[in-house]
């Protein structure tokens, strides 16, 4: 018998939860061979990029295009700003992303990262008519 629940408030002042787990059933679950990826010994490189797109463009779709354009050295992408207003054309918005690059083999240089940023501008321009925010 497995159960999970909250202890009635009349029995305790604090929120207390109780769980009973059948360890035999849990151990019987075959999750396969564990996988891991070694953490890079080399430092990460962070770059920010802001793109102006139509209001109806979703940040997630734009992020997918950015990932595809960068390849394997792009380790993380995060939206940190969505802006509409002064300086941005009506019907458009600015999406700003923080990009994290890393390599397992070496420290990446600006000479290696900048062409990736150019690829982002080119790919998002083709797919979404995005422009680099100035």
């Amino acid at each position: 018998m497995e159960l999970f629940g909250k202890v009635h408030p009349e029995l305790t002042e604090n929120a207390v939860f109780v769980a009973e787990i059948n360890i035999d059933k849990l151990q019987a679950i075959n999750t396969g061979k564990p996988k891991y990826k070694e953490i890079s010994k080399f430092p990460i490189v962070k770059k920010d990029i802001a793109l102006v797109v139509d209001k109806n463009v979703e940040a997630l779709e734009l992020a997918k295009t950015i990932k595809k354009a960068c390849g394997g050295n792009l380790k993380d992408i995060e939206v940190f700003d969505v802006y509409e207003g002064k300086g941005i054309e009506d019907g458009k918005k600015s999406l700003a992303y923080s990009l994290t690059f890393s390599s397992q083999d070496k420290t990446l240089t600006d000479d290696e990262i900048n062409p990736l940023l150019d690829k982002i501008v080119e790919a998002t321009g083709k797919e979404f008519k995005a422009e680099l925010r100035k």
Side-chain angles (χ1 to χ4, degrees), residues 48-107:
D48 294 341
I49 189 168
L51 300 165
V52 177
V53 294
D54 289 335
K55 270 188 180 180
N56 62 349
V57 173
E58 292 185 23
L60 180 61
E61 294 305 313
L62 195 60
K64 287 178 185 177
T65 301
I66 291 170
K67 283 181 185 179
K68 199 184 319 178
C70 287
N73 286 333
L74 180 63
K75 301 303 179 192
D76 190 34
I77 181 169
E78 189 176 322
V79 176
F80 70 87
D81 185 47
V82 178
Y83 175 75
E84 298 175 36
K86 186 177 179 181
I88 303 295
E89 187 179 327
D90 285 341
K92 303 235 178 212
K93 65 183 174 185
S94 169
L95 292 168
Y97 295 88
S98 176
L99 309 173
T100 304
F101 296 93
S102 179
S103 171
Q104 292 293 109
D105 308 320
K106 61 183 177 176
T107 299

Side-chain angles (χ1 to χ4, degrees), residues 36 82 92 122 131:
Y36 90 100
V82 178
K92 303 235 178 212
E122 182 181 338
E131 295 178 359

